[in-house]
Amino acid sequence: MRRIQPVRGTHDLAADEMRRHRHVIEHARTLAARYGFAEVATPIFEFSDVFRRTLGDTSDIVTKEMYTFTDRSGAEITLRPENTAGVARAVIGGNFGERRPFKCFYAGPMFRYERPQKGRLRQFHQIGVELIGAAEPLADIEVIALGAHLLEALGVLDQVTLEINTLADEASRRAYRAALVAHLEAHEDALSEESRQRLKRNPLRVLDSKDEGDKAVLADAPAIDAHLSAEAAAFFDGVCQGLSALDIAFTRNPRLVRGLDYYCHTAFEFTTEALGAQGAVLAGGRYDGLVETMGGPATPGVGWAGGIERLAALVEETVGAVAAAPRPIAIVPLGTRAEAAALGLAQRLRREGLAVEMTYRGSLSKRLKRADQARAAAAVILGDDEMERGVATVRDLDSGAQVEAPEAELGTHLARYAPGP
RNA sequence: GCGAGUGUAGCUCAGUUGGUUAGAGCACCGGAUUGUGGUUCCGGGGGUCGUGGGUUCAAAUCCCAUCACUCGCCCCA
């Protein structure tokens, strides 16, 4: 029988890794709630149009990374490659209410058909927030502040740098794109093959090329700042000042652009050097055109998404192991009569809030070994001796100290051990 | 999608210029100890050497393909 492998780019999450994921998710969920972002969930698959219409025909995600299939009714379905479009779809449909601004938090799996690498999987997990219906810089500032706060709470803020840029409004961006294209076309011979392609399809993407020849051409390329409308400049100014007022350190990166078409104005990215090539750990921006693109009323929005695998890896690398589960109490019955009694005892203790591990088989020696492997803090030994006298032996597994306690008082004897989950 | 590297037990790895029944440590299971765990001692189970094909008297070892992982490009979270 040949062993079946997991699908490429997918991972089983063992208890330790799952705990690291949960550590990230729970910090994010708690902080998001504190900022007024309530948790929601959208389906992990949508009609393909939800993504095709919003992400842009030239984006890599749409052109080659979507998991798309036809279901039994003939509908074209796509496993979500990101969650913003799904949230926007639900908001437009009124499924999340009519109150504006609408603020939400989400966590869940996303799917992209990519070449797997460290920190890059085909099924990966994101946390994210969206703030829909507020056009003010204050909204951008709060959204970014939440991201920074989360990174701080996870203990990794000093491992990342915040880069920020403005993509301006459409008119400014169009003017800038024209100037950029003119410059790039004048130096087309010096550009890499890929950048020449991008020049035609999505010229702004040339800006973050790592090719040395491209960089040389870009060195004296026009900057967007010269093309900003007064409003766009003021907006970006407002965001930067707000971040400074909150003591959130950032650097301006005029080459920072977004891969997805729906972004405008603020674009930001928390990146780290500690994770190799996949350094973006939490990133997002403003997407004022998105809701309208999807057929809703013109509605501004801003948000971010963070990669759970990447955040968890960064936490593990810089902070170390996350807190382990609470240590259980092990029940060690000896003999069939004791086993029957132990069942009820275990349930009783669990109802009192203790984590209780039953030992199922073997001699006392074997069962204590099991208790030890389960990281139990104490063992409750219940044998014929004890049954006769209506007591149980409580053994502290760290010190080896043992006391006998009447069964009714077991709860008090065990109270000094950590409560269960 | 492109380039490079790696794949031997559950894990980390050794395995000589191709040469007989492929090893170690840790982990696991049992016993020493049918009422006392962690330490120790003894024993045991586990491998189609990633998979498929080829070369050869002979392949874990050489060749080809393929799959997976890792790193870079690309992309992004």
Side-chain angles (χ1 to χ4, degrees):
Chain A
M1 184 78 169
R2 191 180 296 141
R3 229 186 288 200
I4 300 174
Q5 295 177 323
V7 173
R8 182 171 202 200
T10 67
H11 273 348
D12 299 310
L13 295 176
D16 280 351
E17 205 176 347
M18 192 66 215
R19 198 168 52 242
R20 286 194 283 275
H21 278 216
R22 239 175 42 217
H23 178 78
V24 171
I25 294 168
E26 281 165 8
H27 274 83
R29 178 181 290 130
T30 304
L31 277 178
R34 206 180 291 174
Y35 282 71
F37 293 77
E39 183 165 13
V40 298
T42 62
I44 63 172
F45 52 82
E46 300 270 357
F47 289 119
S48 300
D49 273 354
V50 168
F51 306 111
R52 264 205 295 263
R53 301 240 307 261
T54 57
L55 301 181
D57 297 332
T58 60
S59 75
D60 280 40
I61 291 181
V62 169
T63 54
K64 47 195 186 197
E65 294 182 359
M66 296 207 307
Y67 274 95
T68 296
F69 62 96
T70 306
D71 76 7
R72 286 166 190 278
S73 75
E76 223 194 281
I77 303 294
T78 293
L79 262 33
R80 64 184 185 194
E82 55 93 49
N83 211 156
T84 302
V87 167
R89 192 225 77 226
V91 165
I92 292 167
N95 301 339
F96 289 151
E98 297 296 324
R99 223 178 83 208
R100 299 290 180 270
F102 168 74
K103 297 161 74 175
C104 72
F105 163 80
Y106 61 80
M110 309 293 159
F111 306 85
R112 293 182 197 174
Y113 188 86
E114 294 193 90
R115 181 83 177 250
Q117 262 182 49
K118 193 179 200 72
R120 190 171 79 181
L121 295 166
R122 289 185 174 181
Q123 176 180 335
F124 62 106
H125 300 81
Q126 285 186 335
I127 47 172
V129 298
E130 311 295 349
L131 197 172
I132 294 176
E136 294 74 15
L138 230 43
D140 305 52
I141 296 164
E142 285 234 304
V143 161
I144 296 173
L146 170 53
H149 196 159
L150 171 61
L151 295 167
E152 186 190 339
L154 291 173
V156 299
L157 189 59
D158 53 357
Q159 294 295 311
V160 303
T161 56
L162 169 59
E163 296 185 349
I164 142 165
N165 193 22
T166 178
L167 273 26
D169 50 67
E170 225 189 307
S172 304
R173 198 161 57 244
R174 201 176 314 123
Y176 174 52
R177 184 182 293 130
L180 182 66
V181 166
H183 173 81
L184 293 177
E185 278 175 345
H187 300 83
E188 199 167 341
D189 299 344
L191 290 178
S192 66
E193 176 57 33
E194 279 184 47
S195 286
R196 254 175 282 169
Q197 291 292 326
R198 280 187 293 213
L199 177 54
K200 296 191 183 65
R201 308 188 57 174
N202 194 345
L204 291 187
R205 299 303 322 279
V206 177
L207 284 175
D208 63 358
S209 170
K210 285 167 198 154
D211 181 88
E212 288 305 321
D214 293 351
K215 281 182 177 171
V217 174
L218 290 167
D220 53 348
I224 193 168
D225 293 30
H227 300 269
L228 293 184
S229 64
E231 294 76 20
F235 189 96
F236 188 53
D237 238 40
V239 174
C240 292
Q241 279 174 29
L243 294 176
S244 298
L246 292 177
D247 283 325
I248 295 172
F250 65 92
T251 58
R252 170 77 195 278
N253 177 359
R255 307 233 182 286
L256 177 68
V257 292
R258 308 270 63 189
L260 310 182
D261 270 11
Y262 53 60
Y263 285 107
C264 62
H265 288 292
T266 317
F268 63 92
E269 213 165 275
F270 288 91
T271 59
T272 179
E273 302 290 304
L275 258 33
Q278 312 304 323
V281 107
L282 190 151
R286 180 162 278 280
Y287 47 83
D288 291 347
L290 173 63
V291 170
E292 202 174 1
T293 308
M294 296 186 71
T299 310
V302 56
W304 53 250
I308 295 176
E309 282 85 355
R310 293 180 187 180
L311 287 167
L314 194 56
V315 168
E316 195 193 7
E317 207 153 295
T318 66
V319 184
V322 310
R327 296 175 66 186
I329 304 295
I331 307 294
V332 178
L334 300 165
T336 47
R337 206 158 65 93
E339 275 179 359
L343 272 178
L345 173 60
Q347 285 304 83
R348 203 185 93 211
L349 294 175
R350 285 168 180 149
R351 286 188 201 291
E352 286 172 20
L354 290 166
V356 175
E357 192 74 33
M358 179 62 80
T359 59
Y360 300 116
R361 57 184 295 190
S363 62
L364 174 61
S365 175
K366 219 33 356 126
R367 287 177 195 245
L368 283 175
K369 193 181 171 72
R370 289 277 172 250
D372 204 53
Q373 289 170 331
R375 299 169 46 249
V380 176
I381 302 167
L382 205 57
D384 291 340
D385 284 9
E386 287 88 349
M387 295 289 289
E388 294 297 327
R389 289 179 288 134
V391 298
T393 299
V394 177
R395 180 180 178 84
D396 185 295
L397 289 175
D398 290 335
S399 68
Q402 256 172 228
V403 293
E404 263 187 11
E407 268 206 60
E409 289 170 28
L410 264 180
T412 13
H413 277 84
L414 296 171
R416 61 203 183 89
Y417 297 102

